[in-house]
Amino acid sequence: MHLTEHAGKALLARAGIEVPPGVVVNPGDADMAPPPFPGPYYLKVQTLSGGRGKAGGVVRVEEAAGIAEAASRLFSLPLGGATPPFLRLEPAVPHDRALYLSLGVSRRRGGLCLTVAGEGGGDVEALAGDARLLALDVPPPFGLTPRLARRAFFHLGLPQGLWTPFLALLEKLFAAVEADGLLLAEINPLAVTPDGRFVALDAKVTADDSVVALRPELRRYADDRLLTGAERRAAAYGLAFVSLPGRVGLLANGAGLAMATMDALAGAGLDAANFLDFGGTADAVRLRAAFDLLFADERVAACLVNMFGGILSCADVARAFAEALGDAPPPRPVVVRFAGNGAGQGAELLRRLGLPALAVAEDMDQAVAMLSEVVAPGPGRDFSAPPPEACRSLPGAAGDAGACASGLRPLPSLFDLDGKSGVLVQGITGRAGSRHALRMRAYGANVVAGVTPFRGGRDVEGIPVYDSVAAAVARHAVDVSVIFVPAAGAADAILEAAEAGVSRIACITDGVPQKDMLAVRAALAGKDVLLLGPNTPGLLVPGAMQAGIMPPDPFLPGPVAVFSRSGTLTYEVCSRLSAAGIGQAAAAGIGGDPFGGADFTALCHMVRDDDRVRAVMLIGEVGGRAEEDAAAYVLETAYPKPVAAFVAGLSAPPGRALGHAGALLERPGGVAGKLACLSRAGIAVCAELGEVAGVMAGLLCGA
């Protein structure tokens, strides 16, 4: 959750950090009351898009009489494709120096980072790699230590008399980040006043959505005025929705499949008008709301529903869809593509409706072709991998992977699991835990026990329940634990399993706070524990066992190891491989979150010398550097097996999270660099889903 400067300053002020007083100026406030503070003043556009200062969104006003005219100019200033919904007015603060200070989670550095610079107010990114910018890693448990404070203080060259107020400022900043689950608290500039005070002249604050979900009171810092009307309505129905500039409305289940569908549309010149992931539940109310959202957009010429049924049945979605439509045909053409669980039944149900403008496609290619008949395609986008020399790996990525490759510990193998392996289910008495425990058992998994604190002594259809993992392990041989514990306790559940000696853990839970997972990663470092997730569908060894929520239908035993960041794309890709007669040795999800357990590199290393695996398939997404790190490992270690990769979200807009925080394109051009790094490593890049089976068949023939 990104906060405006106005909200960010309110949060910092609540933490005891001094900020200038400020008031909101709304459109039409020409006759506003005189400011409650003397001038001169600063009038600032409130927006979440960057670069407002360079674009003229911050102006100095010397006299109160000039505020109305300056405000009128700013309200007509387009920033990020929209004019500002409101402004902040505050007094100018006399100061001797302007510094830079931030505390936040660094995805690149894999931890909490304190950053300072003696120059603030400008483009701090221009100081990257410059000695003037000091970035300090904050080790777990992520608290302020005297040595960290001293290093920052001496780097800034502040006089000794400011040590006490500077230390107090850092203590308050650390407390705010901890208390409110902040991913970033940036003060730029941080003013040093003539009387020795530190004042935050600007604030860029981001809260972890997972923490906000656990603590709804933090939503008071959000500002719905910065969302489109469609995004506000979608949030009310729990739909992951992002407005895009295209003409085809899109509904899909799962962020990975939705992104891959966006790419398929863009490649055919049918850019999506939105990203909409309805997730793992669908009812008539939510589907009706979704279609209302799409068709309220006059740009939408047609709509595509793309679903791969896993736990959620396509037949159930079809029934909800039919109820949402009633007897009326959709107002604009709708193409539906079902695959997986209940696909045939769902497709037949929709065909029997006989509604004009509703068509059912057999596969994605046919769905796109049908849309091309009702929406005039524009120029398609080329998503083939750029030349290898275009690789723009994130700073340090190749070096990190190289160092990791030389010191990687062999993790417990997924490929040693079979129907005799003991499976433990943490959170087994919950609705999801009990349902999936029984589904795993039905597939052939040996579910030996479950754990729910204070429920020990009970059973779930013959599966004994214990109060702790230690108690379960004392009575049963446990080879893998599957975690369905709610997000607030999931990290602790992971550590409980590891401390009890469980060597393989799959955390299905999504919405785990990022700092919780950073603490888990630190605790598990150097231990012989294989962690998948969180936010993973788990793992499946076709024909042998299942540990998680993967539906068995798409899978076929064979020689390909499939490692993925997306659940629905795992099912989609494996279905295509299986249809081509290419089976899988195992499929494992690493999870879609920014920080998790085993990554692509660790899993590739795990199967490096395993004769049961002849080739590897990586299913990636925009955001992060898991794909770049794997590419560096493959290249630098002369990986002995052929590797193919498909990356979803190539058409994603920069700076927008699509479904989960991990699927975030941080900067323009980042996807091209990711594909180029894969290509440079000799990894076969699949430009679209339709290429997956053919590319893998070619690799196996040449292996």
Side-chain angles (χ1 to χ4, degrees):
M1 183 177 75
H2 299 283
L3 278 60
T4 62
E5 174 199 4
H6 187 73
K9 283 182 172 174
L11 187 148
L12 294 181
R14 185 170 64 86
I17 296 172
E18 185 175 355
V19 302
V23 295
V24 168
V25 178
N26 292 304
D29 283 353
D31 299 326
M32 62 177 290
F37 34 74
Y41 309 96
Y42 278 100
L43 200 56
K44 302 180 177 184
V45 162
Q46 296 301 289
T47 178
L48 299 181
S49 60
R52 64 172 182 171
K54 294 179 181 178
V58 178
V59 297
R60 183 181 172 102
V61 182
E62 297 299 329
E63 303 286 344
I67 293 174
E69 180 184 353
S72 178
R73 292 198 308 270
L74 289 180
F75 277 123
S76 64
L77 182 68
L79 287 172
T83 54
F86 70 101
L87 313 175
R88 175 182 169 90
L89 177 70
E90 62 183 35
V93 176
H95 54 278
D96 296 329
R97 289 187 64 185
L99 312 175
Y100 174 87
L101 171 65
S102 74
L103 179 65
V105 173
S106 169
R107 188 165 181 177
R108 183 177 69 83
R109 299 172 75 98
L112 193 67
C113 186
L114 173 67
T115 306
V116 296
E119 301 174 18
D123 185 2
V124 73
E125 292 182 356
L127 296 178
D130 192 302
R132 291 173 292 176
L133 187 73
L134 177 66
L136 300 170
D137 292 322
V138 182
F142 309 120
L144 177 66
T145 62
R147 61 185 180 278
L148 275 174
R150 290 194 301 270
R151 284 198 64 188
F153 183 79
F154 294 137
H155 179 80
L156 294 173
L158 295 169
Q160 184 175 350
L162 292 182
W163 165 247
T164 298
F166 181 75
L167 179 61
L169 169 66
L170 289 187
E171 289 171 341
K172 294 170 183 175
L173 188 64
F174 271 77
V177 168
E178 175 63 27
D180 294 324
L182 303 185
L183 298 177
L184 176 66
E186 179 184 82
I187 303 173
N188 182 32
L190 172 66
V192 184
T193 67
D195 58 351
R197 295 177 294 116
F198 291 96
V199 182
L201 299 188
D202 200 354
K204 182 178 180 181
V205 177
T206 303
D208 188 340
D209 286 336
S210 297
V211 175
V212 175
L214 297 172
R215 294 182 50 204
E217 70 272 14
L218 291 174
R219 293 193 183 279
R220 69 178 182 270
Y221 292 107
D223 200 310
D224 287 348
R225 289 175 291 184
L226 299 170
L227 301 176
T228 66
E231 288 169 344
R232 284 194 293 272
R233 291 193 297 274
Y237 287 94
L239 300 168
F241 183 93
V242 175
S243 297
L244 298 171
R247 297 171 297 154
V248 178
L250 171 63
L251 285 83
N253 67 315
L257 183 60
M259 286 188 284
T261 309
M262 282 171 46
D263 296 342
L265 291 170
L270 301 167
D271 285 357
N274 64 278
F275 165 96
L276 197 160
D277 170 19
F278 62 80
T281 59
D283 53 50
V285 173
R286 294 178 78 236
L287 283 176
R288 185 181 295 115
F291 278 105
D292 287 346
L293 282 172
L294 300 187
F295 290 130
D297 187 343
E298 295 181 354
R299 300 170 306 146
V300 171
C303 179
L304 171 62
V305 178
N306 191 18
M307 176 180 173
F308 198 107
I311 301 307
L312 180 62
S313 168
C314 294
D316 291 341
V317 172
R319 282 188 282 270
F321 185 22
E323 184 180 344
L325 289 174
D327 295 327
R332 269 161 269 178
V334 175
V335 176
V336 178
R337 178 264 185 169
F338 285 149
N341 180 16
Q345 185 181 357
E348 180 60 27
L349 190 155
L350 293 183
R351 289 190 180 101
R352 286 202 305 266
L353 294 177
L355 294 176
L358 175 60
V360 179
E362 295 294 332
D363 53 39
M364 278 183 62
D365 292 341
Q366 187 183 57
V368 172
M370 287 178 170
L371 287 167
S372 298
E373 295 176 1
V374 295
V375 181
R381 295 170 61 179
D382 181 10
F383 293 128
S384 56
E389 57 269 20
C391 178
R392 294 182 298 277
S393 182
L394 293 176
D400 291 349
C404 185
S406 63
L408 277 174
R409 301 169 63 90
L411 293 173
S413 177
L414 299 174
F415 299 87
D416 296 332
L417 297 173
D418 57 25
K420 297 179 181 179
S421 303
V423 178
L424 176 72
V425 178
Q426 292 176 251
I428 192 170
T429 58
R431 184 172 62 179
S434 59
R435 181 171 71 249
H436 290 294
L438 299 178
R439 285 178 170 167
M440 284 185 269
R441 187 169 68 177
Y443 186 70
N446 180 26
V447 182
V448 296
V451 169
T452 299
F454 308 107
R455 300 290 179 89
R458 304 184 184 185
D459 73 273
V460 174
E461 296 200 16
I463 303 171
V465 179
Y466 296 87
D467 288 321
S468 68
V469 178
V473 168
R475 298 287 301 274
H476 304 275
V478 174
D479 297 288
V480 57
S481 181
V482 186
I483 294 176
F484 292 94
V485 174
D492 186 67
I494 294 171
L495 295 179
E496 181 185 0
E499 290 168 1
V502 180
S503 59
R504 302 173 187 86
I505 303 168
C507 183
I508 312 301
T509 311
D510 62 359
V512 180
Q514 293 187 30
K515 280 185 64 182
D516 286 2
M517 285 311 303
L518 289 175
V520 167
R521 283 159 58 108
L524 296 185
K527 295 185 177 180
D528 295 330
V529 175
L530 170 62
L531 169 64
L532 298 177
N535 191 20
T536 174
L539 63 100
L540 187 142
V541 180
M545 69 89 63
Q546 176 195 24
I549 63 173
M550 292 190 188
D553 298 346
F555 301 97
L556 179 74
V560 179
V562 178
F563 304 135
S564 175
R565 289 174 60 187
S566 163
T568 49
L569 274 183
T570 304
Y571 318 150
E572 179 77 40
V573 168
C574 289
S575 176
R576 290 170 180 263
L577 292 176
S578 297
I582 302 171
Q584 305 88 48
I590 67 172
D593 288 3
F595 303 106
D599 59 7
F600 286 143
T601 303
L603 293 181
C604 285
H605 189 69
M606 182 184 69
V607 303
R608 182 184 187 96
D609 300 316
D610 194 321
D611 293 337
R612 293 167 290 189
V613 175
R614 292 179 53 206
V616 175
M617 180 79 219
L618 303 180
I619 305 171
E621 295 176 347
V622 296
R625 65 179 197 185
E627 295 81 8
E628 289 94 329
D629 285 348
Y633 165 74
V634 168
L635 178 64
E636 294 177 11
T637 67
Y639 196 67
K641 301 179 189 294
V643 182
F646 172 77
V647 179
L650 305 184
S651 58
R656 302 298 301 272
L658 299 181
H660 48 251
L664 173 66
L665 179 58
E666 292 91 346
R667 62 198 183 284
V671 175
K674 186 183 291 285
L675 296 182
C677 286
L678 293 167
S679 179
R680 184 184 67 175
I683 295 172
V685 178
C686 305
E688 58 185 46
L689 280 171
E691 296 182 2
V692 166
V695 167
M696 183 53 69
L699 293 179
L700 290 171
C701 287

